[in-house]
């Protein structure tokens, strides 16, 4: 509900095309502002399908945020709750011969939760959030594991260029699970607020 209208977006990402088990991600998200009992709220729904190697994940999450005017902008505090279904093809792991591992496809469902806060004005945005705050358990037979909480911090600013038709929007995001940290830097140029293009650089990855 951070926009003043219903917002719908989707992403398709495919890496190492042509290789068996190449990572593929599909993501769909919709969110909208809602006014109820004199207060401003935001609600949303996200669906993701992620496949990499022998593991497939499908998840759905609902989100809610309470929004309130603060200074020159809008402050939002929210949470998301959802379920993720995991499937791992142990039988296709031909190198696994230990009896400690199952030999068929294993499936498991886990409950996940997250918290976050964001602040936006006409020219800037910043936010902080934590996913997997409940350390969801992925319980495959004989091989259970837990998902670590991840901390996300993001910041961005809109610069109006000399030509009023062009606007520069740099932003950054830091992701960390304490054991490792990743930095994302993005630069976008908007033309007439309709057409845009840019570059993204992510540490430990590619441009």
């Amino acid at each position: 509900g951070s926009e003043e209208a219903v917002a719908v977006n989707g992403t398709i990402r495919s890496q190492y095309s042509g290789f068996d088990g190449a990572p593929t991600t599909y993501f769909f998200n919709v969110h909208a502002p809602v006014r109820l009992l004199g207060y401003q709220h935001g609600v949303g729904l996200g669906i993701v399908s992620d496949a990499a190697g022998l593991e497939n994940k499908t998840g759905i999450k609902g989100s809610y945020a309470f929004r309130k005017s603060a200074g020159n902008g809008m402050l939002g505090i929210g949470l998301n709750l959802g379920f993720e279904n995991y499937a791992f093809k142990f039988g296709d792991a031909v190198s696994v011969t230990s009896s400690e591992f199952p030999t068929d496809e294993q499936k498991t469902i886990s409950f996940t939760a997250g918290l976050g806060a964001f602040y936006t004005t006409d020219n800037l945005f910043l936010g902080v959030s934590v996913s997997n705050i409940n350390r969801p358990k992925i319980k495959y037979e004989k091989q259970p594991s837990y998902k670590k909480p991840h901390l996300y911090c993001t910041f961005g600013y809109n610069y109006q260029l000399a030509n009023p038709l062009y606007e520069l929007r740099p932003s950054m995001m830091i992701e960390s699970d304490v054991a490792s940290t990743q930095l994302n830097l993005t630069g976008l140029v908007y033309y007439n607020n309709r057409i845009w293009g840019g570059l993204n650089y992510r540490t430990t990855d590619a441009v």
Side-chain angles (χ1 to χ4, degrees):
S2 58
E3 306 290 340
E4 296 305 319
V6 177
V8 180
N9 60 73
T11 301
I12 298 176
R13 184 185 185 190
S14 180
Q15 298 176 277
Y16 313 120
S17 180
F19 289 88
D20 291 339
T24 304
T25 301
Y26 299 91
F27 176 76
F28 171 81
N29 182 66
V30 57
H31 61 92
V34 176
R35 190 167 185 85
L36 183 65
L37 302 176
Y39 294 98
Q40 298 183 72
H41 312 265
V43 294
L45 179 70
I47 300 173
V48 63
S49 176
D50 197 13
L54 303 179
E55 186 172 60
N56 292 282
K57 180 186 77 173
T58 303
I60 182 169
K61 293 181 181 180
S63 57
Y64 165 80
F66 176 78
R67 306 175 67 210
K68 182 177 177 61
S69 297
N72 296 323
M74 181 72 70
L75 174 67
I77 299 175
L79 77 160
N80 65 61
L81 303 172
F83 292 92
E84 294 178 332
N85 179 73
Y86 291 84
F88 195 96
K89 299 177 180 178
F90 284 95
D92 291 346
V94 294
S95 62
V96 175
T97 58
S98 172
S99 60
E100 292 298 316
F101 292 90
T103 57
D104 57 354
E105 182 179 42
Q106 296 285 309
K107 296 182 179 181
T108 183
I109 296 177
S110 63
F111 170 75
T112 182
L115 293 173
F118 64 93
Y119 180 74
T120 60
T121 70
D122 291 338
N123 295 319
L124 69 83
F125 68 87
L126 55 90
V128 59
S129 64
V130 180
S131 64
N132 303 323
I133 58 174
N134 61 319
R135 296 186 74 240
K137 184 177 183 180
I138 304 175
K139 190 178 180 181
Y140 292 126
E141 182 184 346
K142 299 182 181 180
Q143 294 296 322
S145 62
Y146 296 87
K147 295 188 69 175
K148 293 181 179 180
H150 278 66
L151 172 68
Y152 300 86
C153 297
T154 185
F155 171 81
Y157 195 86
N158 302 336
Y159 289 98
Q160 183 66 62
L161 301 181
N163 186 329
L165 292 178
Y166 291 90
E167 188 175 69
L168 178 64
R169 301 184 182 182
S171 63
M172 65 176 290
M173 183 178 72
I174 300 172
E175 175 186 352
S176 177
D177 65 354
V178 180
S180 63
T181 299
Q182 182 173 270
L183 173 65
N184 283 266
L185 299 175
T186 302
L188 300 177
V189 176
Y190 277 72
Y191 172 75
N192 202 24
N193 209 32
R194 294 182 178 179
I195 302 174
W196 60 271
L199 291 173
N200 172 265
Y201 173 75
R202 180 166 57 189
T203 58
T204 72
D205 209 325
V207 175

